[in-house]
Amino acid sequence: MNLKFLETFVWVARLKSFRLTADKLFTTQASISSRIAVLESELGVKLFLRDSRGVSLTPEGLKVLDYAEQMMDTMQALKQSIETRSSKVGRVRIGVMDTVIHTWLSPLVAQMMDHYPLVEIELVADTSLNLCDQLQKGFLDLILQTDLLRQESVRSLELASHPMGWIVASQSLYNRTYTGIADLARERIITYSKNSHPHQDILSLMQANGVMTPRLNCVNSVSAITRLLRDGFGIGALPPVLVAEELARGELTLLDIAQRPPDLQVVVSWRTGVEWVEEIVALCQQVLVGYAAKVGDSYIVLAD
């Protein structure tokens, strides 16, 4: 029996979706369906029922799941007993946007250093636009940024999203009641770099509320944005997770305005054919699960 097919069965049972399982295992829905069909043929039973509500296990599938999970646990334990750390060598080039640097990059690097102690990790910090360009030109192997890329040699997967908010210095003149977006737009807005995804989202939000020429001040550094906010130079349009400590201390305030910018996506994109880079994608997903449990869904929402 093919253990890879058995693993596929376990993930379909857990996620209750062929599509989500395909994303999880970095393959296609057709491949997932084929693996399940082969497994059903080998076992001589039907494992899943599919209807308009999704995928559910048959009674026989429930029995198989219990044994399958035990087999996967045994295989994992075997792998760990043979080699606790990878002997892979080489270099991986990773591009990272500022938002990731100031949130979960450190635990990711810690996990990578533990899993791949012999691998050289080369980190490049830049805007999402520049990172996408460098990946497509082959200068980077994997990037963490805001945009789903569609190119034959590149794959992308949305990992999570950060809720956005309007943030001001608590003691500044900007910390007042606003009647809405049009009223807010009379003030100086500080946000991400020009033509970035969040910048375009804020422009669209303003224009939808009748503000054609908002006073947007674009800054390509999260550290610079937060410093300007702390010093009272305007209203920040950014994820509250980036200033969680300042909010907790009362130095900054999240304005109570119903209309907020769309959530900021976190997308991982990587070049196909690069050795073991998909293992790092899986590691990103694992690290994010722990990070989300730590900070809560008001700061980050994992992708389905």
Side-chain angles (χ1 to χ4, degrees), residues 69-298:
E69 288 182 327
Q70 291 180 45
M71 291 176 68
M72 299 313 299
D73 289 343
T74 301
M75 181 56 65
Q76 183 65 26
L78 175 61
K79 288 180 179 179
Q80 289 179 351
S81 68
I82 294 173
E83 184 178 11
T84 57
R85 297 199 301 172
S86 172
S87 59
K88 291 182 174 69
V89 295
R91 178 184 63 160
V92 61
R93 302 167 300 171
I94 300 176
V96 193
M97 65 176 175
D98 240 10
T99 300
V100 173
I101 293 173
H102 289 270
T103 50
W104 54 280
L105 179 64
S106 289
L108 174 62
V109 171
Q111 287 292 320
M112 288 181 61
M113 291 175 68
D114 183 59
H115 281 70
Y116 312 112
L118 303 180
V119 171
E120 176 188 350
I121 304 169
E122 183 178 313
L123 291 174
V124 175
D126 211 328
T127 63
S128 290
L129 285 173
N130 289 339
L131 292 175
C132 291
D133 181 61
Q134 291 180 61
L135 179 72
Q136 290 168 340
K137 289 179 178 178
F139 298 141
L140 295 172
D141 302 314
L142 177 148
I143 60 174
L144 295 161
Q145 41 80 43
T146 59
D147 298 291
L148 287 166
L149 299 180
R150 289 174 174 82
Q151 190 180 11
E152 186 176 349
S153 60
V154 172
R155 291 203 63 191
S156 289
L157 179 68
E158 184 181 353
L159 295 174
S161 60
H162 292 291
M164 296 277 283
W166 306 107
I167 298 168
V168 297
S170 299
Q171 302 302 318
S172 72
L173 56 86
Y174 300 106
N175 187 12
R176 64 178 180 83
T177 300
Y178 294 88
T179 58
I181 295 297
D183 186 19
L184 184 81
R186 295 190 179 94
E187 308 291 3
R188 187 184 303 276
I189 308 295
I190 304 172
T191 192
Y192 287 84
S193 56
K194 190 173 183 180
N195 297 323
S196 64
H197 205 127
H199 172 249
Q200 293 297 322
D201 284 342
I202 292 165
L203 273 179
S204 298
L205 178 62
M206 294 290 184
Q207 290 169 0
N209 284 271
V211 182
M212 296 298 108
T213 55
R215 297 170 62 194
L216 296 185
N217 295 261
C218 299
V219 181
N220 66 358
S221 162
V222 165
S223 295
I225 293 174
T226 55
R227 179 56 187 266
L228 289 170
L229 292 181
R230 287 200 306 269
D231 291 342
F233 284 115
I235 300 172
L238 74 162
V241 67
L242 296 174
V243 290
E245 293 182 4
E246 290 87 346
L247 289 169
R249 291 196 298 263
E251 297 171 10
L252 296 177
T253 297
L254 180 63
L255 294 176
D256 185 16
I257 298 176
Q259 284 185 293
R260 296 185 182 183
D263 292 358
L264 185 144
Q265 284 185 310
V266 179
V267 173
V268 59
S269 300
W270 66 97
R271 293 171 54 229
T272 57
V274 178
E275 187 181 6
W276 47 268
V277 71
E278 290 186 355
E279 293 181 22
I280 299 176
V281 174
L283 202 59
C284 289
Q285 293 174 305
Q286 294 173 24
V287 169
L288 267 174
V289 168
Y291 181 77
K294 178 182 176 182
V295 302
D297 57 11
S298 61

Side-chain angles (χ1 to χ4, degrees), residues 47-74:
L47 298 173
F48 293 105
L49 295 174
R50 295 198 231 184
D51 55 32
S52 58
R53 293 174 295 179
V55 177
S56 61
L57 285 164
T58 63
E60 293 79 10
L62 282 169
K63 294 178 183 178
V64 173
L65 179 62
D66 184 42
Y67 287 99
E69 288 182 327
Q70 291 180 45
M71 291 176 68
M72 299 313 299
D73 289 343
T74 301

